[in-house]
Amino acid sequence: MLSDKNAVITGGTRGIGKAIALKFAENGADVAIMATSESDAARQTLAQLKSLGSDARLYVCDVRNPEEVSRMSEMILADYGRIDILVNNAGITRDNILPALKDSDIDDVIDVNLKGCMYVTRAFIRSFVKHRCGNIINISSVVGLMGNKGQANYAASKAGIIGFTKTVAREYGKRNIRCNAIAPGYIATEMTAALDEEMTRAIAESLPLGVLGEPEDVAELVLFLAGNASRYITGEVIKVDGGMYV
């Protein structure tokens, strides 16, 4: 499905990002992962991708730093020749009620989640324009659509991604560049693993489908958006939330 395609995934070493990377590799794509460090998790993910036949490589990059993003994107383009798919997945949380949020809690979440998405997209957009082809998939959140108590900074960053996605879709559609966003709900990752068992059970019971999602549920939608079957879809925000926000 993605044979001869080169993809970049930010935050691709664990959770949803790792599931996307593996799904891409299983379907024939070569995958470049941008991560904050060469951790054990990153090395393990890289090994798994290579075992699937992908020309997978790891690039250590802090997406909050525009100069670093620019250097890494140039390196990736030099190594792969061209990039066909960009998945902006890197994200963090710093949850608290608004009066208790420190300046750093606001800055860190906006810098990684929103500005990082913008910096990375900006770094690759000229290459997409040059080749008159490109596919950008941004990982937002259902919280960016509906808000959530204790997540003012996170919700604002994810809502910003939605506005950014629609703007890029409008600006570059005529250049054969598509840009869509996915809004996951409660997905079983390290972020949700921090919740206690009682809270996890209560969340699941509140959902129409009655269970938390898995990273693979998001990865399947990303795969669809990355392929030709979605060629006439752009500027959309698609929820993967088990009915959380109906």
Side-chain angles (χ1 to χ4, degrees):
M1 183 176 179
L2 298 180
S3 297
D4 302 320
K5 299 290 186 183
N6 300 324
V8 172
I9 303 172
T10 68
T13 63
R14 58 187 182 180
I16 290 173
K18 179 178 180 179
I20 295 168
L22 291 173
K23 186 65 65 175
F24 277 14
E26 290 167 0
N27 284 271
D30 291 329
V31 181
I33 292 175
M34 295 175 70
T36 54
S37 66
E38 192 174 342
S39 62
D40 288 340
R43 286 189 287 269
Q44 289 171 6
T45 299
L46 203 61
Q48 286 180 271
L49 294 172
K50 289 181 176 179
S51 73
L52 293 169
S54 176
D55 178 11
R57 309 183 196 190
L58 175 68
Y59 299 83
V60 176
C61 179
D62 182 352
V63 297
R64 297 174 299 179
N65 185 320
E67 290 80 17
E68 204 169 307
V69 168
S70 180
R71 287 196 302 271
M72 285 301 105
S73 66
E74 290 175 4
M75 189 179 300
I76 291 170
L77 287 168
D79 289 344
Y80 285 92
R82 64 179 284 177
I83 292 300
D84 305 286
I85 305 158
L86 169 62
V87 181
N88 285 303
N89 168 75
I92 62 171
T93 57
R94 297 284 188 272
D95 296 349
N96 217 326
I97 58 172
L98 185 57
L101 283 175
K102 297 180 291 187
D103 291 350
S104 60
D105 295 331
I106 296 172
D107 291 342
D108 289 348
V109 169
I110 297 294
D111 286 350
V112 173
N113 298 3
L114 178 55
K115 292 170 71 174
C117 175
M118 297 178 75
Y119 291 152
V120 176
T121 302
R122 183 178 65 181
F124 286 100
I125 200 72
R126 287 190 179 89
S127 175
F128 290 152
V129 169
K130 176 182 177 181
H131 294 289
R132 296 193 66 82
C133 185
N135 194 339
I136 304 162
I137 303 162
N138 298 323
I139 306 302
S140 179
S141 170
V142 70
V143 169
L145 293 167
M146 62 181 283
N148 196 33
K149 293 178 180 178
Q151 290 194 306
N153 51 354
Y154 185 75
S157 71
K158 293 300 187 176
I161 287 175
I162 291 171
F164 177 67
T165 296
K166 291 179 178 292
T167 298
V168 172
R170 285 183 177 275
E171 285 186 353
Y172 292 98
K174 295 288 177 62
R175 306 295 182 90
N176 195 33
I177 298 167
R178 295 192 292 120
C179 187
N180 291 288
I182 294 175
Y186 282 106
I187 306 296
T189 64
E190 288 184 12
M191 284 187 184
T192 55
L195 303 173
D196 61 45
E197 185 176 342
E198 183 178 346
M199 184 175 291
T200 301
R201 183 169 58 252
I203 290 169
E205 290 174 352
S206 73
L207 301 173
L209 291 185
V211 294
L212 270 64
E214 297 292 335
E216 291 73 19
D217 296 321
V218 180
E220 288 287 359
L221 179 54
V222 176
L223 178 65
F224 168 71
L225 290 174
N228 290 331
S230 63
R231 70 176 190 86
Y232 203 56
I233 299 174
T234 194
E236 284 299 318
V237 182
I238 305 175
K239 295 185 275 94
V240 183
D241 68 348
M244 177 180 172
Y245 184 41
V246 175

